[in-house]
């Protein structure tokens, strides 16, 4: 097939994964219908994903995907980024968790088809800027990947903590560094040399990490931020409440309480055995432990754990001592949650965190971004949001994450620029004599 007058303009053609797309077509017939297909192979493990939508050009034969909505297909929003977030795996058995692995770039191939013609364009999407340096830190007391921006430093710094999947949270750390903020991607279980599961993790390990950051000549520890997701969000709030050197917190889909371990072991009766966190050999009190079999799976074998967490919170035995004392945090807090979170009720947790901070006279800004239609898998950058369930390697179950593709895409697109701005603002050197703003926001 050939095409003569039609043209496609895609910007940018080579960019980070958090840069929005602009896709325009011209030279079409007035009101001509076109089918646009997109396809990407993310990695060998994640496989190939694709999407397809049909549009109708305007009466000038032009089409702007950020202005005009599709008339048919895999998404219905006027959003050029739909060519990314509506991608679905060609293999239905692909685990969505594999999308968060690795820092390899990928190519998005876009094809525009009319009745008699074909037009193609490929673009490159990068998880990390080419000038970011990655340093592996493998010490007895520290398992981390350090992401350093281009330049002489020292750099504003964020400590990045992953959730219950374990390992290194490299994707978010790489994007922070790509925007000029050094990031320490810290593993605390699930890698060689660390515990195999989220159980009895000593908080002293994180104190060692904070000291390592403070001693590093290229890192500015004076206004250190911490960013955590899910159980990492719980951990970020807990650490900041105990460590005044942490000066701001970003918590994605966090908890207001400390929770128990996530373990393959089920037949141990000791309360201390199932603690997630310890300090000085003593258990950090936790609200309860949601077991692997807490909720029966649906007809497709998928488990939604939010009802089990809500039931545990309603239990009179749920101790107030498990509430995280966020009022002790020595700086501003930004919370991001999904109102349709099916893994745990992050939106309700966010409300509890905000309420406690206000009632206790918290001295800094606290902001809660709660997104309707979003589930548990809110994060940085544009990526597919069509798979809202994931196999959990420790729970050994398919877990419902909740949310709609459109709702999650909106949460990704709106929250990440605010996270970047928040971290940049609160890690920047503070002018001498200027006090931190003391207020509580919505």
């Amino acid at each position: 097939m050939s095409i003569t007058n039609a043209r496609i303009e895609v910007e940018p053609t080579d960019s980070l994964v958090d840069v929005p797309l602009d896709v325009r077509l011209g030279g079409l017939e007035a009101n001509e219908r076109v089918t646009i297909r997109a396809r990407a192979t993310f990695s060998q493990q994640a496989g190939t994903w694709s999407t397809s939508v049909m549009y109708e050009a305007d009466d000038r034969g032009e089409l702007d995907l950020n202005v005009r909505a599709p008339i048919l297909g895999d998404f219905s929003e006027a959003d050029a980024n739909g060519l990314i977030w509506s991608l679905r795996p060609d293999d239905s058995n692909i685990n969505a968790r594999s999308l968060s692995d690795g820092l390899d770039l990928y190519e998005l191939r876009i094809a525009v088809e009319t009745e008699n013609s074909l037009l193609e364009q490929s673009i490159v999407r990068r998880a990390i800027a080419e000038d970011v340096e990655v340093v592996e830190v493998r010490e007895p007391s520290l398992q981390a990947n350090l992401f350093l921006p281009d330049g002489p430093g020292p750099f504003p710094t964020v400590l990045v903590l992953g959730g219950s999947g374990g390992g290194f949270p490299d994707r978010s750390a790489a994007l922070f560094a790509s925007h000029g903020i050094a990031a320490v991607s810290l593993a605390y279980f699930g890698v060689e040399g660390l515990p195999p599961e989220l159980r009895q993790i000593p908080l002293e390990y994180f104190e060692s990490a904070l000291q390592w950051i403070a001693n590093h000549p290229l890192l500015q520890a004076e206004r250190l931020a911490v960013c955590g997701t899910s159980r990492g969000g719980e951990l970020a709030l807990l650490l900041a409440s105990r460590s005044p050197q942490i000066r701001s917190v970003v918590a994605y889909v966090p908890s207001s309480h400390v929770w128990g371990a996530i373990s393959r072991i089920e037949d141990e009766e000791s309360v201390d055995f199932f603690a997630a966190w310890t300090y000085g050999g003593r258990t950090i009190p936790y609200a309860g432990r949601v077991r692997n079999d807490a909720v029966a799976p649906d007809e497709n074998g998928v488990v939604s754990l939010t009802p089990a967490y809500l039931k545990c919170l309603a239990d009179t035995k749920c101790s107030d001592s498990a509430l995280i004392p966020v009022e002790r945090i020595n700086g501003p807090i930004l919370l991001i949650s999904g109102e349709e979170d099916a893994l745990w009720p992050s939106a309700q947790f966010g409300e509890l965190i905000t309420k406690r901070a206000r009632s206790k006279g918290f001295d800094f800004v606290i902001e809660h971004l709660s997104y309707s239609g979003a589930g548990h898998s809110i994060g940085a950058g544009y990526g597919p949001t069509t798979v809202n369930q994931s196999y959990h390697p420790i729970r050994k179950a398919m877990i419902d994450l909740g949310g709609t593709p459109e709702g999650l895409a909106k949460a990704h697109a709106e929250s990440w620029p605010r996270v970047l701005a928040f971290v940049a603002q609160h890690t920047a050197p503070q002018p001498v004599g200027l006090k931190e703003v003391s207020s509580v926001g919505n």
Side-chain angles (χ1 to χ4, degrees), residues 58-114:
D58 63 19
D59 54 12
R60 295 173 297 176
E62 296 179 350
L63 177 60
D64 183 339
L65 271 62
N66 282 320
V67 174
R68 205 167 183 88
I71 59 174
L72 189 67
D74 291 333
F75 65 94
S76 58
E77 309 287 324
D79 183 4
N81 301 292
L83 295 178
I84 297 174
W85 59 254
S86 72
L87 290 166
R88 297 179 182 274
D90 293 348
D91 180 355
S92 60
N93 294 319
I94 286 293
N95 183 10
R97 190 179 293 271
S98 63
L99 281 177
S100 63
D101 295 337
L103 298 175
D104 293 338
L105 59 80
Y106 73 90
E107 183 182 37
L108 183 71
R109 301 179 296 279
I110 302 171
V112 180
E113 302 176 17
T114 68

Side-chain angles (χ1 to χ4, degrees), residues 62-313:
E62 296 179 350
L63 177 60
D64 183 339
L65 271 62
N66 282 320
V67 174
R68 205 167 183 88
I71 59 174
L72 189 67
D74 291 333
F75 65 94
S76 58
E77 309 287 324
D79 183 4
N81 301 292
L83 295 178
I84 297 174
W85 59 254
S86 72
L87 290 166
R88 297 179 182 274
D90 293 348
D91 180 355
S92 60
N93 294 319
I94 286 293
N95 183 10
R97 190 179 293 271
S98 63
L99 281 177
S100 63
D101 295 337
L103 298 175
D104 293 338
L105 59 80
Y106 73 90
E107 183 182 37
L108 183 71
R109 301 179 296 279
I110 302 171
V112 180
E113 302 176 17
T114 68
E115 185 177 353
N116 300 306
S117 57
L118 172 67
L119 187 64
E120 295 180 303
Q121 172 77 55
S122 291
I123 65 172
V124 173
R125 304 286 283 179
R126 300 179 185 273
I128 183 171
E130 294 180 278
D131 56 7
V132 170
E133 180 184 1
V134 185
V135 181
E136 291 188 355
V137 183
R138 303 293 184 266
E139 300 178 1
S141 61
L142 186 67
Q143 298 288 315
N145 292 324
L146 172 62
F147 292 81
L148 292 171
D150 186 37
F155 304 102
T157 306
V158 57
L159 174 64
V160 183
L161 304 169
S164 62
F168 299 98
D170 286 347
R171 294 296 291 270
S172 294
L175 281 178
F176 276 120
S178 298
H179 289 280
I181 301 167
V184 179
S185 168
L186 183 67
Y188 53 95
F189 77 98
V191 301
E192 185 176 355
L194 293 176
E197 56 189 23
L198 205 171
R199 183 174 62 81
Q200 296 185 349
I201 308 297
L203 295 184
E204 289 90 342
Y205 173 76
F206 304 99
E207 290 182 341
S208 296
L210 293 174
Q211 188 59 52
W212 182 87
I213 292 171
N215 293 337
H216 199 290
L218 293 179
L219 304 181
Q220 292 177 346
E222 296 82 6
R223 292 173 65 78
L224 176 68
V226 61
C227 177
T229 300
S230 191
R231 291 305 296 262
E234 169 192 320
L235 175 61
L237 293 165
L238 179 63
L239 284 180
S241 73
R242 303 168 64 92
S243 306
Q245 61 267 51
I246 295 174
R247 297 300 308 277
S248 61
V249 179
V250 176
Y252 278 97
V253 291
S255 171
S256 52
H257 291 66
V258 172
W259 292 94
I262 298 178
S263 175
R264 298 176 178 88
I265 302 170
E266 298 290 0
D267 56 1
E268 172 64 51
E269 295 183 359
S270 169
V271 172
D272 291 340
F273 182 86
F274 286 119
W277 322 107
T278 68
Y279 191 77
R282 299 171 65 89
T283 293
I284 301 297
Y286 59 94
R289 177 170 174 264
V290 174
R291 291 167 50 102
N292 298 354
D293 57 356
V295 178
D298 65 15
E299 63 275 10
N300 298 313
V302 181
V303 176
S304 173
L305 292 172
T306 283
Y309 281 100
L310 291 173
K311 181 179 179 181
C312 190
L313 282 180

Side-chain angles (χ1 to χ4, degrees), residues 375-389:
H376 194 74
S377 52
I378 307 173
Y382 295 92
T385 58
T386 55
V387 180
N388 65 351
Q389 57 194 42

